Amino acid sequence: MMKPESRNLSDRELLNRILDLLENQHKRPTRTEKTDKSRVYDNKALMALLNIKDKYLKKLRDNGHLSYSQCGEKYWYTQEDVDRFLSRFHYEAFSVGEERLP
């Protein structure tokens, strides 16, 4: 529901206010963006997230495809490490919008 003061605004003024609000909201990181960037995973959490097994995770580390931090025998992966890995091996769909023939 609109506030009473909004009813007196011209269409142009209302549009400018909406655009300003959207621009400010876009500039400000959301709560999830702040949390996601600082998220850290151990082996178990990352295997569950990516739905992979421990041997494949080790292979990704050993081949240099996935960055990590190590303390003793414990491995840690930041959200940035995971995002970088996923973007490095991301391929765009090539049949989007086309119907597949039988």
Side-chain angles (χ1 to χ4, degrees):
M1 186 169 244
M2 289 188 149
K3 294 180 182 178
E5 64 194 46
S6 304
R7 292 185 196 149
N8 297 333
L9 297 176
S10 71
D11 290 342
R12 183 72 160 171
E13 291 171 325
L14 186 57
L15 179 60
N16 285 334
R17 274 196 176 180
I18 291 170
L19 290 173
D20 287 343
L21 287 171
L22 288 172
E23 187 176 330
N24 289 336
Q25 186 177 9
H26 182 69
K27 288 179 183 176
R28 196 175 356 163
T30 63
R31 188 175 189 185
T32 55
E33 287 174 338
K34 290 178 187 175
T35 306
D36 286 347
K37 290 190 184 252
S38 62
R39 179 169 272 165
V40 177
Y41 304 96
D42 62 4
N43 279 347
K44 185 176 179 180
L46 190 58
M47 287 186 296
L49 179 70
L50 298 177
N51 194 25
I52 59 176
K53 301 213 183 254
D54 58 339
K55 288 184 181 182
Y56 187 66
L57 182 57
K58 181 180 182 329
K59 183 177 180 178
L60 292 174
R61 281 194 318 262
D62 291 348
N63 290 337
H65 297 303
L66 179 62
S67 301
Y68 62 92
S69 298
Q70 183 178 5
C71 184
E73 293 184 22
K74 190 81 171 173
Y75 292 90
W76 300 100
Y77 312 88
T78 63
Q79 184 64 50
E80 188 178 335
D81 294 333
V82 176
D83 291 344
R84 193 176 313 117
F85 164 73
L86 292 174
S87 66
R88 191 179 304 149
F89 291 97
H90 176 79
Y91 299 94
E92 292 295 327
F94 55 86
S95 66
V96 174
E98 297 177 12
E99 289 188 34
R100 296 185 61 143
L101 299 174

